[in-house]
Every structure is written in C-alpha cells, then in structure tokens.
Amino acid sequence: MNHEQSRALYDRALSVMPGGVNSSVRAVRPYPFFIENGDGGHVVDTDGNRYIDFVMGYGPLLLGHDLPESVQAAVQQYSTEGPMYGAPTEVEVELAEFVTRHVPSVEMVRFVNSGTEATVSAVRLARGYTGRDKIVVMQGGYHGAQESTLVEGEGNHTHPSSPGIPESFAEHTLTVPFNDPDAARELFEEHGEDIAAVLTEPILGNYGIVHPVDGYHETLRELCDDHGSLLIFDEVITGFRVGGLQCAQGKFGIDPDITTFGKIVGGGFPVGAIGGKSEIIEQFTPAGDVFQSGTFSGHPVTMAAGLETLRYAAENDVYDHVNGLGERLRAGLQEILEDQAPEYTVVGTDSMFKVVFTRDAPDTFDGHCEAGCQQRESCPRFESCPKNGHDITQAETERWERLFWPAMKDQGVFLTANQFESQFICDGHTDEDIDDALEAYKEAI
Ligand code: PLP
C-alpha cells in the first residue's frame, strides 16, 4: 500500500501539532494514515487506499459514514439557519425527552460537549450532592482526560497518571480492580462514609472489553446504597450501543444514580450528557448549586444529529443488523483463533468486539462464545477471558501494536491501534465486509 500523501501530511502536521495529531490515540506507528472520506462502513485515505472501518470514530458512528437523509436534512437545516444562539431550542428538549423515555434510570439530562466534560460534571455533581470528596474508579478504567480519574495505584494509594495533575487531586480518588467484589467491600468498610460515588463503565470498553462477572454490578449498587454513595455508570461508549436504546444499564437491569453519555447521542458531532434521577440532576445550576455551564452545550446541530440518529435507530432494524453482524464476526473469529491461535480470545457484545492477546491459553474449547456471555462461569473459556486489564500484558500489547495492527491495516482493515480499545460495527457494514474482515484476520493471525 502506498502512503506517500499520508507521510507528507504527517511531516507537515508534526511541525504544527504535537505528535502530529489532535488526540494522542491517533498517533499510530510509524505514522497515521490521513483520511480523505468515508462511506458506509469504509474509509478512504489520502492515497486512495480503502479500508473496512471498525474504528467508527472511536464509537460515535452507529449508522456509519453515510448518514441517512433525515440526519443530513436536520444537520443542514440547523447549520444554515444560524448554527447556534446561546438560548434554548426545541430540538434539545426533544433529544432530552427521547433519552429520558428510553434509558431506564434517566429522568433528567443535561447536554455538554464531550464525554470528558460529562464525567467531569458527573463527579462534581456527585460530590456536591453527597457533600463528600472521594470517588472510586476501576483500576485501568478510562473516563476521559479529566484530573480526578487519571490516576494509577491501588486502593487509597493512588497518584496522578500524568504530569500536570497535582498529587493532592489523586488523594480523593480510590481504585479497585474491576470484577473483584471483595476489594470493593473492603474499600467501603474503610472509607465508605467519605465516598461520594463509584464511577465505572458497565462493560470496560477501554480495557480490552471486560464484561462484569455475575453479581458484580449488584454488589456495587448495594455498597453504594448501604453507604449513601452514588453509582455512576459511564455509558459514553456503551450508551445507545450495548442494550440498544435502553443502553447497558437496561441490558444488565442495574439502576445507576447518574449516567454519563457521549459519542452516539450526538450522531457524529461533539457531545456529552449527564443524566439521572431528577433529585440529583436538579442540583446543577441554575436549579441547584453545583456549577455547570457551556457556550456550546446543547448545540442545535449536534442535538438534531443525535435526535435523528436515535430516531432512525428506533424506527429501523439498526440494532438487529449491527448486533447480528457482531455475533457472526465474533463466532468467525473464535473459529479462526481456535484453529490458529488458541492463546488469544475474542471478546465483545452487541456491536463491540475485539481479539485480545491474553496471558493464558485456554486448555480446551469446543464451542463458540455467545455474544456477551464470555465471562459466565459456565463458559469453557471463562478462565482465559480477561477479568480486568491486568490480564493483558505489556508484551502482548507490543505484539498487537507492532505486528497485528499493521498487518490488518495492510489488508485494508482499520482497527483501533491500541490493544485496550474496542472495535465497533456500524449499520453501514455488510455481510461481505464481515467475510472480508475474517479473511484478513485469518491472514494476520
Ligand atoms: N468515558 C469513556 C468510557 C470513554 O471511552 C471516553 C472516550 O473514549 C470518555 C469518557 C471521554 O469522552 P471524550 O473523548 O468525548 O471526551
């Protein structure tokens, strides 16, 4: 594959943008390919190379790159009639109504501009509501580029994971390993009365796609209830992807106090949202005292794109289509792995998937994983499936980034370059794309 144009653009970018990119995950080795355009489930780079796209903008593009006419028309209308006003519009009320109608725990919602802004505001809200400072996050969990959650360490021995964050910030953030109910119980026993909230993704989508073991979320819910703490589900990735319009909380039957959204709810435009029980969400200014504000919040173009995207998904068989393709792809990958590389495993659910290079090879496996059940005790692969990101080692991460990702790229499949990030299927993908992708995986593995 020729990448001359991308190389030249990268050289230009390097002199004006740190690392040549505007988000560090895009800085793949040896250099990123620059995208010219997209269609359906594909992208084309500036050198004319065409790829099956499983990155999907890191999750927002549920419908793919060809937006349906209704979404295009809404975006066109709101961008030509004056893109924004600094005053409320009907379309943001409509999107809020749609979200509160479908997501079980959400009675009220506030829209912001990114997933990071949503989790920052959610943490502030939980602290304001409870009058407590400490939050608990999962080791290795990711909630955007925010000071409170960029921490490393265990329990209350945490420190910032980036220069520029004062040590004192990490003092308020405690960590537990995902899927370890005993660790959570111990932490609550010691610090329960200081804990404002537990913040977790319902499925860790940034740590190799890790499913909750049976009863884990129920334990967190119970601990929060017993200690007067709030449970925050970060559904920035899983929102309107896992569990359809009810999101992952609907799929798992868990009732968080606060939910953060991003990605899909903006239909491909910058967005974030904080939803939850009215009593909590109404603590935001001006109804309450917890400060929240934003020039671009509830941007009409984003609201219109998000609303029409979700309406389209509701009125068409989008979730059946993407989840069906996901199931086919995971089953096909499982067969390839069983045959060629039983030390690896495929994880995922609904329209999320990932081949994970795990530490332990399974001894035996003679069936396919069902979508989303890889973590159940009854599964023969249960032992080898990642329970948290510690099951993915540095050597395996190197293997993914240096060998596997480039091998897939050379065969025309665009994956997230980081071993910990999920891949996504969109409505524009076809059976043929899945067949082609499976051939590429067979070759690369
Ligand atoms: N929360 C989760 C679970 C995410 O995956 C991300 C980003 O990928 C964020 C928060 C931050 O969202 P954004 O990148 O829109 O700021």
Side-chain angles (χ1 to χ4, degrees):
M1 260 183 195
N2 176 13
H3 290 108
E4 259 173 53
Q5 301 284 342
S6 281
R7 174 83 237 189
L9 274 171
Y10 181 60
D11 287 341
R12 273 174 61 198
L14 274 180
S15 60
V16 284
M17 286 150 45
V21 291
N22 280 307
S23 178
S24 46
V25 289
R26 298 177 198 160
V28 298
R29 286 180 283 201
Y31 54 89
F33 50 86
F34 283 63
I35 307 286
E36 184 83 15
N37 55 53
D39 62 277
H42 296 84
V43 285
V44 177
D45 72 16
T46 45
D47 291 280
N49 303 307
R50 189 172 165 81
Y51 308 84
I52 300 172
D53 179 7
F54 288 130
V55 175
M56 281 296 140
Y58 281 82
L61 302 178
L62 175 65
L63 305 182
H65 295 284
D66 291 328
L67 298 180
E69 270 175 27
S70 56
V71 182
Q72 284 186 40
V75 169
Q76 180 74 25
Q77 180 196 332
Y78 283 93
S79 42
T80 48
E81 288 178 358
M84 59 174 288
Y85 315 105
T89 55
E90 184 173 355
V91 68
E92 63 201 273
V93 183
E94 287 185 293
L95 183 57
E97 285 169 347
F98 189 101
V99 171
T100 54
R101 198 161 55 243
H102 288 91
V103 186
S105 73
V106 175
E107 296 168 358
M108 288 189 119
V109 64
R110 174 153 289 181
F111 291 107
V112 292
N113 304 294
S114 70
T116 298
E117 205 183 330
T119 62
V120 167
S121 301
V123 167
R124 188 183 309 131
L125 182 64
R127 287 174 167 155
Y129 179 78
T130 59
R132 301 170 177 183
D133 288 341
K134 293 197 190 304
I135 58 162
V136 179
V137 297
M138 303 298 135
Q139 282 162 23
Y142 179 69
H143 303 285
Q146 71 143 308
E147 263 73 355
S148 294
T149 57
L150 287 174
V151 300
E152 292 169 342
E154 293 175 12
N156 61 339
H157 303 290
T158 53
H159 53 91
S161 61
S162 164
I165 302 175
E167 281 289 335
S168 56
F169 280 41
E171 280 167 24
H172 299 300
T173 306
L174 315 175
T175 69
V176 286
F178 190 65
N179 277 338
D180 185 341
D182 290 338
R185 276 190 206 102
E186 272 171 38
L187 197 76
F188 265 91
E189 248 165 55
E190 206 173 324
H191 303 281
E193 62 191 38
D194 299 324
I195 293 173
V198 174
L199 168 60
T200 183
E201 287 185 90
I203 295 172
L204 299 194
N206 291 288
Y207 214 16
I209 310 185
V210 186
H211 297 258
V213 291
D214 285 340
Y216 185 63
H217 289 326
E218 286 79 0
T219 302
L220 294 181
R221 179 69 275 178
E222 211 176 291
L223 286 169
C224 287
D225 287 345
D226 290 350
H227 293 84
S229 313
L230 302 183
L231 179 62
I232 308 175
F233 265 9
D234 182 353
E235 295 227 41
V236 167
I237 288 182
T238 54
F240 304 103
R241 180 172 293 281
V242 173
L245 297 175
Q246 294 206 328
C247 309
Q249 57 193 263
K251 185 176 175 114
F252 293 128
I254 298 289
D255 200 31
D257 300 295
I258 299 176
T259 304
T260 53
F261 301 95
K263 303 201 192 261
I264 290 175
V265 78
F269 293 82
V271 78
I274 311 101
K277 314 278 174 220
S278 305
E279 183 195 333
I280 300 170
I281 301 297
E282 280 193 312
Q283 298 301 315
F284 275 140
T285 48
D289 297 329
V290 178
F291 185 75
Q292 199 287 318
S293 190
T295 300
F296 292 105
S297 293
H299 194 290
V301 174
T302 301
M303 298 292 101
L307 180 64
E308 291 306 330
T309 294
L310 294 179
R311 277 185 179 155
Y312 184 89
E315 288 161 12
N316 295 276
D317 62 353
V318 168
Y319 290 112
D320 287 347
H321 178 68
V322 293
N323 296 351
L325 291 184
E327 216 165 293
R328 252 200 75 209
L329 183 55
R330 286 187 296 270
L333 287 172
Q334 199 66 72
E335 240 170 79
I336 294 168
L337 294 179
E338 194 51 29
D339 194 39
Q340 294 177 227
E343 67 273 30
Y344 305 151
T345 191
V346 58
V347 290
T349 182
D350 297 56
S351 55
M352 293 170 69
F353 72 97
K354 180 97 187 180
V355 169
V356 179
F357 296 178
T358 47
R359 182 179 300 168
D360 303 311
D363 294 325
T364 55
F365 178 65
D366 55 8
H368 299 311
C369 284
E370 292 297 322
C373 83
Q374 289 90 336
Q375 296 285 343
R376 302 293 171 258
E377 301 274 0
S378 57
C379 177
R381 284 188 88 98
F382 181 77
E383 284 310 319
S384 65
C385 241
K387 309 293 183 303
N388 65 56
H390 296 313
D391 292 344
I392 301 167
T393 64
Q394 188 56 38
E396 287 146 353
T397 299
E398 285 287 302
R399 196 181 314 151
W400 170 281
E401 289 176 13
R402 287 191 185 275
L403 298 175
F404 190 68
W405 187 85
M408 290 298 285
K409 183 197 73 175
D410 289 347
Q411 291 178 89
V413 181
F414 179 30
L415 302 178
T416 48
N418 180 311
Q419 147 94 322
F420 293 94
E421 302 255 12
S422 174
Q423 331 288 181
F424 302 101
I425 292 168
C426 75
D427 198 42
H429 284 127
T430 61
D431 277 314
E432 197 187 339
D433 292 330
I434 301 302
D435 293 337
D436 292 348
L438 285 170
E439 278 308 310
Y441 269 102
K442 206 182 278 183
E443 200 58 34
I445 284 165

